């Protein structure tokens, strides 16, 4: 017995399956959290460490400010989550900061937001994969020399999973996400119950990076620590960018996933920072802060290795956030004529396959450029996303001022406060990491915006030539001439002339003649066979001194078009299609040569007839 839910608009006859609307290939709040929050979740592996490394410049006294800085980041996280909940509700088609800026800040600002998000998504893939592989090679040093190939292998695996559909990728990543998050909360809970570290084996023998003779903690140092720690907030925007990938009601499910992400991420960041202060942890070379915390809380045992292994997996898989968000963003850009329209196409399972493949190719190029080294990529990371954060916050301020709904002043104040914080973080991160590679982002951002503009203008010219938006003149019938290139007599020739006779008012067969004795003998044989066959179609001989196939046919088509104005010329190219795929390598590709020349040199219609063997 079938049960109809209230969400089905039409009844389904008994014995028939309901039409597949694609909803089963979309995300729930839980699977959305798994598919789109891996970047943010994995950032707890390097976010607190980024804060500690900056504060270590002020010695042990500076490390005491780890918790206050983390609390400030948690406040910003809350502001961002609240803001992006409103973005999701106001822009259910996705796009995040791009959609906000497009409506409220103008086309140019929206392109800056889009470019920043594109750069961040690509860098997130590269950084996530290299960080995961770096954690793996730290545990198994023998693999260090093969880290680039390992990075490319991990990228290929993630790409393959996403090509199967975002729901399938989300299901594949639920278990690693749950294990990682659960392990971190166990680490925090156990650590809070201890008054001192249970083990320091991991850090033993490693040199400390804490400055010995520094004790002054200035506002600039705290600001830099805040900006560096904000790397933990990358990925917060991914859910708002990918709202269309959720099941109905899309906005509500996306909002739930956004709140859950903010709550889990904030608790993990604050909990780890509390433990850093409780255990008086000091950063050392060659060992991550998270590894030290696991050692101090749980001891150097199987639980320690579970957390390390879960961190490796989640860092590598956090690239999935980009595979969920960037294809949707490219779809919106393509819809607005700022990116190639191919990015708007969907394959089965609701996959924007071309966006996934483009992201994989560019990320692979970055991995090869960096040699699989995380340190080469990290200075460029997070700048793009903070540009997007700031633009989205400013756009939402304008949104509230225009809407003027209930409590609009408080909402605008909240977004304005967030814009100030993220704007300051953007400036500080860019300035402090400019010479370390951030200059590439400063250069790449305007180039990408310029590229969007070039694509948009090209589509504008194409639309003008096609008369898009205008009512075209009425269609009318023209005399039709079909030209069929032939070289021998066969069933293929007969099928081609039959199809041509069905298409046009007149059919002409053409064959190219060469002066070589061997070729002339073949021509005479064709003439005799043609006369004996007598298909009722004239055989036109095209003399050619040079051994060219496509150009003589194209020249003949031009002559016909000039001599017979008002005649629609079609070139029908017969081709045999082998039974086996590998047998296509045995073909002479004459049809492709003719089609290329005719397409390039004439306005004739090209019809390629496939005769399946």
């Amino acid at each position: 017995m079938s049960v109809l839910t209230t969400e089905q608009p039409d009844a389904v006859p008994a014995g028939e399956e309901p039409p597949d609307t694609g909803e089963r290939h979309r995300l729930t709040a839980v699977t959305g959290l798994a598919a789109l929050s891996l970047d943010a979740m994995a950032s707890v592996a390097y976010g607190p460490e980024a804060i500690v490394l900056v504060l270590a410049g002020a010695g042990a006294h500076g490390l005491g400010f780890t918790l206050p800085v983390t609390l400030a980041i948690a406040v910003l996280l809350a502001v961002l989550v609240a803001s992006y909940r409103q973005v999701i509700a106001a822009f259910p088609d996705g796009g995040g900061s791009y959609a906000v800026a497009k409506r409220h800040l103008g086309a140019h600002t929206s392109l800056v937001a889009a470019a920043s998000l594109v750069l961040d998504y690509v860098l997130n893939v590269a950084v996530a994969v290299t960080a995961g592989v770096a954690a793996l090679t730290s545990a198994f040093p023998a693999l260090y020399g093969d880290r680039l190939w390992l990075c490319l292998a991990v990228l290929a695996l993630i790409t393959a999973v996403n090509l199967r559909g975002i729901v399938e990728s989300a299901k594949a990543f639920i278990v690693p996400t749950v294990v990682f998050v659960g392990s971190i909360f166990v680490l925090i809970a156990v650590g809070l119950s201890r008054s001192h570290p249970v083990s320091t084996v991991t850090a033993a023998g490693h040199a400390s990076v804490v400055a010995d003779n520094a004790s002054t903690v200035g506002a600039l140092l705290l600001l830099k620590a805040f900006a560096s720690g904000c790397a933990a907030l990358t990925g917060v925007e991914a859910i708002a960018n990918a709202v269309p990938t959720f099941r109905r009601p899309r906005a509500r499910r996306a909002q739930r996933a956004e709140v859950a992400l903010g709550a889990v991420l904030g608790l993990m960041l604050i909990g780890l920072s509390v433990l850093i202060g409780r255990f008086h942890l000091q950063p050392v070379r060659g060992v991550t802060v998270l590894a030290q915390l696991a050692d101090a809380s749980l001891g150097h045992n199987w639980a320690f290795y579970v957390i390390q292994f879960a961190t490796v997996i989640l860092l590598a898989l956090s690239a999935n956030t980009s595979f969920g968000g960037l294809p949707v963003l490219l779809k919106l850009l393509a819809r607005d004529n700022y990116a190639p329209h191919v990015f708007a196409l969907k394959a089965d399972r609701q996959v924007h396959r071309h966006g996934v493949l483009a992201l994989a190719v560019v990320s692979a190029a970055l991995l090869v450029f960096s040699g699989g080294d995380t340190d080469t990529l990290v200075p460029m990371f997070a700048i793009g996303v903070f540009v997007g954060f700031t633009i989205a916050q400013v756009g939402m301020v304008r949104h509230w001022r225009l809407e003027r709904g209930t409590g609009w002043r408080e909402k605008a104040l909240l977004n304005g406060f967030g814009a100030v914080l993220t704007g300051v973080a953007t400036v500080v991160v860019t300035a402090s990491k400019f010479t370390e590679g951030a200059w590439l982002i400063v250069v790449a951002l305007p180039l990408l915006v310029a590229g969007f503009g070039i694509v948009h203008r090209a589509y504008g010219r194409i639309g003008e030539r096609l008369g898009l938006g205008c009512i075209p003149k009425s269609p009318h019938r023209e005399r039709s001439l079909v030209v069929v290139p032939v070289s021998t007599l066969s069933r293929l020739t007969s099928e081609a002339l039959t199809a041509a006779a069905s298409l046009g008012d007149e059919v002409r067969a053409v064959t190219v003649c060469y002066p070589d004795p061997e070729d002339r003998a073949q021509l005479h044989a064709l003439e005799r066979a043609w006369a004996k066959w007598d298909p009722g179609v004239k055989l036109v001989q095209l003399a050619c001194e040079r051994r060219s196939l496509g150009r003589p046919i194209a020249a003949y088509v031009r002559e016909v078009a000039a001599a017979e104005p008002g005649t629609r010329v079609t070139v029908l190219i017969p081709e045999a299609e082998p039974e086996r795929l590998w047998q296509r390598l045995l073909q002479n590709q004459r049809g492709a040569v003719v089609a290329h020349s005719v397409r390039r040199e004439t306005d004739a219609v090209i019809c390629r007839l496939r005769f399946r063997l």
Side-chain angles (χ1 to χ4, degrees):
M1 181 180 66
S2 61
V3 180
L4 300 181
T5 65
T6 56
E7 292 184 353
Q8 291 177 307
D10 300 309
V12 180
E16 295 185 14
E17 294 184 359
D20 184 6
T21 61
E23 288 298 299
R24 65 189 181 92
H25 295 302
R26 298 182 186 271
L27 300 171
T28 64
V30 175
T31 55
L33 187 64
L36 301 173
S37 68
L38 292 177
D39 177 19
M41 296 293 187
S43 66
V44 301
Y46 51 81
E49 184 162 4
I51 299 172
V52 169
L53 288 175
V54 173
L55 294 177
H61 180 61
L63 293 175
F65 287 86
T66 301
L67 182 57
V69 171
T70 303
L71 290 175
I73 293 173
V75 170
L76 177 57
L77 173 63
V79 172
L80 289 174
V81 168
S83 174
Y84 276 105
R85 283 188 77 254
Q86 301 302 326
V87 171
I88 290 169
F91 300 89
D93 290 334
S97 57
Y98 168 69
V100 176
K102 179 187 173 185
R103 180 182 298 181
H104 296 301
L105 301 178
H108 184 75
T109 304
S110 70
L111 293 182
V112 174
S116 66
L117 285 175
V118 169
L119 292 173
D120 179 68
Y121 279 137
V122 174
L123 282 167
N124 172 57
V125 173
V127 170
V129 171
T130 55
V133 171
L136 179 64
T137 56
S138 297
F140 302 98
L143 298 176
Y144 184 78
D146 299 321
R147 63 190 185 280
L148 175 58
W149 294 109
L150 289 171
C151 288
L152 294 175
V154 171
L155 176 61
L157 176 63
I158 298 173
T159 303
V161 171
N162 277 274
L163 287 175
R164 286 189 55 80
I166 191 168
V167 168
E168 280 70 14
S169 68
K171 291 177 180 177
F173 300 149
I174 284 179
V175 173
T177 304
V178 171
V179 171
F180 178 79
V181 173
S183 299
I184 296 298
F185 278 122
V186 169
L187 183 156
I188 293 172
V190 174
L192 291 176
S193 67
R194 301 186 187 279
S195 59
H196 60 277
V198 68
S199 172
T200 58
V201 173
T202 304
H206 293 268
S208 174
V209 299
V210 178
D212 295 328
N213 54 358
S215 60
T216 303
V217 179
L220 185 59
L221 183 69
L222 292 176
L223 201 59
K224 187 175 180 179
F226 172 80
S228 297
C230 281
L233 302 183
T234 57
V236 172
E237 80 293 346
I239 293 175
N241 291 339
V243 178
T245 61
F246 284 83
R247 294 180 186 176
R248 295 189 180 95
R250 309 200 197 289
R252 188 179 305 170
R253 291 183 188 273
Q255 286 178 324
R256 291 172 182 170
E258 185 74 45
V259 172
L261 168 61
V264 173
L265 179 58
L267 289 174
M268 288 195 296
L269 289 174
I270 294 173
L272 293 177
S273 295
V274 170
L275 292 185
I276 291 173
R278 176 181 288 262
F279 295 145
H280 304 289
L281 185 145
Q282 295 186 359
V284 298
R285 291 184 177 88
V287 179
T288 65
V289 169
L290 185 59
Q292 292 188 62
L293 288 174
D295 193 28
S297 295
L298 305 174
H300 205 75
N301 49 32
W302 64 268
F304 169 82
Y305 287 103
V306 166
I307 288 182
Q308 290 304 104
F309 187 71
T311 303
V312 171
I313 297 297
L314 204 73
L315 277 170
L317 298 184
S318 63
N320 197 66
T321 297
S322 295
F323 283 97
L326 182 59
V328 175
L329 176 62
L330 289 177
K331 180 200 74 171
L332 295 177
L333 287 169
R335 187 187 65 185
D336 297 334
N337 294 330
Y338 288 111
H341 287 173
V342 69
F343 291 120
L345 299 179
K346 274 187 181 180
D348 54 353
R349 299 174 182 268
Q350 301 295 318
V351 179
H352 293 94
R353 183 165 294 166
H354 295 91
V356 170
L357 292 174
L359 176 58
V361 170
V362 178
S363 300
L366 268 179
L367 291 174
V368 173
F369 166 76
S370 66
D373 182 30
T374 309
D375 294 336
T376 305
L377 299 169
V378 167
M380 299 181 283
F381 191 46
I383 296 176
V385 73
F386 275 101
V387 172
F389 280 164
T390 305
I391 291 175
Q393 301 278 356
V394 173
M396 288 306 293
V397 171
R398 182 169 176 79
H399 174 79
W400 298 128
R401 291 187 61 187
L402 294 175
E403 292 290 328
R404 292 183 178 270
T406 304
W408 71 271
R409 287 186 177 84
E410 292 77 9
K411 295 176 181 178
L413 182 63
L414 180 67
N415 290 130
F417 178 62
V420 171
L421 292 180
T422 55
V424 170
T426 304
V427 173
V428 173
V429 172
T430 304
S432 61
K433 297 183 178 181
F434 187 82
T435 58
E436 300 175 23
W439 62 272
L440 285 173
I441 299 299
V442 177
V443 173
L445 197 61
L447 288 179
L448 197 54
V449 173
F452 290 151
I454 292 173
V455 172
H456 189 70
R457 288 191 292 273
Y459 275 127
R461 290 192 294 270
I462 293 172
E464 184 177 353
R465 294 290 299 273
L466 292 177
L468 296 179
C470 302
I471 299 177
K473 62 181 182 180
S474 300
H476 60 281
R477 179 177 175 80
E478 292 182 341
R479 179 177 178 273
S480 177
L481 169 65
V482 183
V483 176
V484 182
V486 298
S487 58
T488 58
L489 288 188
S490 65
R491 286 185 60 191
L492 181 61
T493 309
S494 176
E495 290 288 337
L497 295 182
T498 299
S502 303
L503 292 174
D505 300 316
E506 181 184 354
V507 179
R508 297 178 192 174
V510 298
T511 185
V512 181
C513 312
Y514 304 110
D516 298 347
E518 181 181 353
D519 294 310
R520 294 190 65 83
Q522 291 179 357
L523 174 62
H524 293 323
L526 176 61
E527 288 177 330
R528 290 192 298 269
W530 197 271
K532 183 178 180 180
W533 182 36
D534 191 18
V537 174
K538 180 181 179 182
L539 178 64
V540 180
Q541 300 177 15
L542 306 177
C544 181
E545 295 296 327
R546 304 176 64 180
R547 299 199 65 85
S548 177
L549 178 62
R551 289 182 178 179
I553 296 175
Y556 177 73
V557 171
R558 290 199 304 271
E559 292 174 4
V560 170
E564 304 178 33
T567 298
R568 179 75 63 178
V569 180
T570 299
V571 179
L572 188 147
I573 305 172
E575 296 175 291
E577 184 173 296
E579 182 180 6
R580 306 294 182 184
L581 181 62
W582 68 269
Q583 293 174 339
R584 296 185 183 183
L585 299 175
L586 306 178
Q587 293 180 289
N588 55 26
Q589 304 301 324
R590 291 167 61 92
V593 172
V594 173
H596 175 73
S597 295
V598 174
R599 181 182 295 109
R600 185 178 60 182
E601 300 179 22
T602 75
D603 293 328
V605 177
I606 298 175
C607 177
R608 302 181 72 170
L609 174 67
R610 301 286 186 181
F611 181 73
R612 295 184 178 180
L613 301 177

